Amino acid sequence: MATRDQDVPQASGSGSATGVLVREGTYGTRVLEVEPGGAEFIPLSERHGRPLQLFWTWTSPNMEFATIFVGVLGVAGFGLGFWEAALALVLGSAIGGLTQGILSLRGPKYGVPQMVLSRFGFGYWGNILPAGLNAVTAGIGWFAVNSVSGALALNVLTHLPQVLCLIIIVAVQLVVAFFGYNLVHIFERYAFPILTIIFLIAAGVILSKAHPGASHKTIPGAFLIELGASFGYAVGWNPYASDYTRYFKPETSRKAIAWWSGAGLFISCAVLEVVGAAVGTAVNAGSALGGPGGMTSLLAKPLADLTLLAIALGAVSANVLNIYSGALSFTAIGIKLPLAARRAIVALGFGIIGFFLAWSALPNAGADYQNFLLIIAYWIAPWLAVYFCDLLLRRNPHENLLFSTRRENWAGPVAMLIGMGISIWLFSNQTKYVGLVPTHIPSAGDLTFEAGFVITAVVYLGWHAIAKTGRETTLTA
């Protein structure tokens, strides 16, 4: 029977503080060994790695059709002109890259995943809200989206049945994510040069065939909807940020961590999304929105085949992170499975669920992608507001705040729920639900993530200002 995390005394030689749950087992730099534990503190004796590896860790997973499709949506779906779409895509990616760099900084100091760090702003039990949302959206939602993307590319390339292509993609993803941190980093490292070379060549050809001045019919509020979609795609990686820096030594350069994390995410998202916008100007809307085949129709057959192979590889690169971090988020909820390989087992479970969700989505793969991207932005923006406001109030909190089951900060979940509820009710603009404002003023587009961030920040800061709390840096007796 599963038990809850409890405070434990300092592990000998771990370098952690009293009251910090320390990851058991020895892992080191071994690649083909299952990473032990779950969301616990990484002992100092286990720390390794360098900031440069963050560049390919955050570049490789965006070298896929799901990234390109964000740009396709702007032109072929929302009717934006190429330059308008490019501006929205660059802005959304820049915001996501900036926040990614900032969020990555605490990993080496605290040695825990991002969704454990989230406990500063939400408290131990209140953190179930964002950790649970991320476990579902990462380990299942994003996993299904990217598995479909990779399966469709492999299907176009090999003409094998779509379901068989999906099985192949999922199997590779599960193997890498099951082993854990070291194999994930190695996989991204070796995928990086292959993906970069192929996509840069394909991007050059596609951009040369684009028609930036092509006529278009823009839907009301298209720019803000596209900005929200681009932002949602980029910040979808934010809840994973310190998952991939927590093994670094505490003295690792903060500037290098922020730069390589932010740059890897921003450059890969912005470039491929702009390429997607170019695809929308070069082929008809139906072909562009129909899947990878519309894009590769612009390429000579050898390059088209290589690009399809790269799309499949990129989908795997994205999903090894999604499954790995989704599993970490699940363990960060506070449920401790009574086995050393708890993260690996959870990753396997998420992969199986995600496979069946992806299978059901194959016949209508692109229909709900826009909604999914916006929903990601709807909850991550309020979560970021709590995290950054708490960072402002609580400059150097002690590690024991992260693992005490009696430590509360209900301002976090309450502010996040209020921010989400009001912003979605007023500003959401997607096919499943249109909020009050865009219903009456269509040109307002979708301002949900912007409003959600501001409302959440006001509630969180207001709560602590009134209660004269929020600046505590350690547990009180």
Side-chain angles (χ1 to χ4, degrees):
M1 180 177 177
T3 59
R4 299 284 184 179
D5 285 351
Q6 298 294 329
D7 290 351
V8 296
Q10 176 177 340
S12 175
S14 71
S16 70
T18 301
V20 173
L21 194 65
V22 180
R23 199 212 68 202
E24 73 272 31
T26 302
Y27 184 48
T29 59
R30 290 185 290 274
V31 175
L32 294 179
E33 181 171 320
V34 176
E35 179 188 4
E40 306 87 1
F41 174 88
I42 303 301
L44 298 183
S45 60
E46 293 278 286
R47 303 297 185 90
H48 62 278
R50 54 193 179 125
L52 178 60
Q53 71 192 52
L54 296 170
F55 186 72
W56 51 72
T57 296
W58 296 118
T59 298
S60 296
N62 293 310
M63 297 283 186
E64 56 156 344
F65 189 70
T67 316
I68 293 167
F69 199 69
V70 178
V72 171
L73 274 174
V75 176
F78 308 146
L80 285 168
F82 174 79
W83 296 112
E84 288 177 286
L87 178 60
L89 296 167
V90 170
L91 284 176
S93 299
I95 298 170
L98 177 63
T99 51
Q100 185 79 359
I102 296 171
L103 290 167
S104 299
L105 293 175
R106 276 180 158 178
K109 178 178 180 179
Y110 290 100
V112 294
Q114 192 65 54
M115 279 297 146
V116 172
L117 289 172
S118 179
R119 291 175 184 167
F120 282 134
F122 289 84
Y124 192 93
W125 299 116
N127 193 55
I128 289 176
L129 174 63
L133 283 170
N134 194 54
V136 173
T137 55
I140 299 175
W142 272 119
F143 178 85
V145 167
N146 292 313
S147 295
V148 168
S149 172
L152 291 177
L154 195 61
N155 166 254
V156 174
L157 175 65
T158 64
H159 304 293
L160 292 171
Q162 288 184 349
V163 174
L164 179 57
C165 292
L166 181 62
I167 291 172
I168 294 170
I169 293 291
V170 168
V172 176
Q173 293 167 165
L174 285 179
V175 168
V176 178
F178 183 83
F179 277 95
Y181 181 89
N182 291 335
L183 184 56
V184 167
H185 273 301
I186 290 294
F187 185 89
E188 305 296 351
R189 176 183 178 181
Y190 287 102
F192 172 73
I194 299 170
L195 293 170
T196 301
I197 292 170
I198 294 173
F199 274 112
L200 282 178
I201 295 171
V205 174
I206 291 169
L207 289 171
S208 72
K209 296 183 177 182
H211 304 287
S215 61
H216 54 91
K217 186 176 181 180
T218 308
I219 68 172
F223 181 85
L224 289 172
I225 298 174
E226 179 70 343
L227 175 63
S230 176
F231 171 80
Y233 187 88
V235 298
W237 298 114
N238 281 186
Y240 311 0
S242 72
D243 298 3
Y244 304 95
T245 62
R246 76 194 200 280
Y247 272 88
F248 291 172
K249 294 180 179 180
E251 63 270 20
T252 305
S253 169
R254 288 169 57 84
K255 288 183 179 178
I257 289 173
W259 167 254
W260 291 119
S261 297
L265 181 59
F266 167 68
I267 293 171
S268 56
C269 286
V271 170
L272 286 199
E273 287 170 7
V274 169
V275 170
V279 171
T281 70
V283 300
N284 64 66
S287 297
L289 294 169
M295 179 186 78
T296 55
S297 67
L298 297 168
L299 308 172
K301 182 126 187 357
L303 180 57
D305 289 346
L306 283 174
T307 303
L308 289 167
L309 186 62
I311 289 171
L313 177 60
V316 174
S317 296
N319 269 348
V320 297
L321 300 189
N322 288 321
I323 309 173
Y324 179 80
S325 287
L328 286 178
S329 293
F330 182 81
T331 59
I333 290 173
I335 297 173
K336 184 179 178 181
L337 301 175
L339 70 166
R342 63 182 66 92
R343 178 212 50 81
I345 298 300
V346 172
L348 183 62
F350 277 176
I352 293 171
I353 297 170
F355 165 77
F356 286 105
L357 181 61
W359 188 4
S360 69
L362 279 173
N364 197 26
D368 292 326
Y369 188 42
Q370 168 201 340
N371 294 340
F372 180 70
L373 290 173
L374 292 173
I375 289 170
I376 293 289
Y378 293 172
W379 80 260
I380 290 183
W383 170 75
L384 284 172
V386 171
Y387 189 92
F388 286 135
C389 286
D390 191 78
L391 186 64
L392 178 67
L393 294 176
R394 205 187 315 271
R395 295 301 179 90
N396 192 31
H398 197 277
E399 296 99 321
N400 59 20
L401 293 179
L402 297 173
F403 293 98
S404 172
T405 57
R406 63 185 175 87
R407 192 253 165 173
E408 298 177 350
N409 188 4
W410 293 108
V414 171
M416 181 174 170
L417 286 171
I418 292 174
M420 289 172 60
I422 294 176
S423 61
I424 292 171
W425 170 57
L426 290 176
F427 297 106
S428 175
N429 192 351
Q430 47 147 310
T431 60
K432 300 296 184 184
Y433 172 74
V434 179
L436 192 63
V437 173
T439 296
H440 294 89
I441 311 172
S443 60
D446 192 313
L447 291 166
T448 310
F449 87 80
E450 297 95 331
F453 185 94
V454 173
I455 294 167
T456 302
V458 169
V459 174
Y460 187 82
L461 293 174
W463 176 305
H464 283 303
I466 294 170
K468 294 181 170 47
T469 54
R471 297 185 183 273
E472 304 85 0
T473 57
T474 190
L475 291 176
T476 56

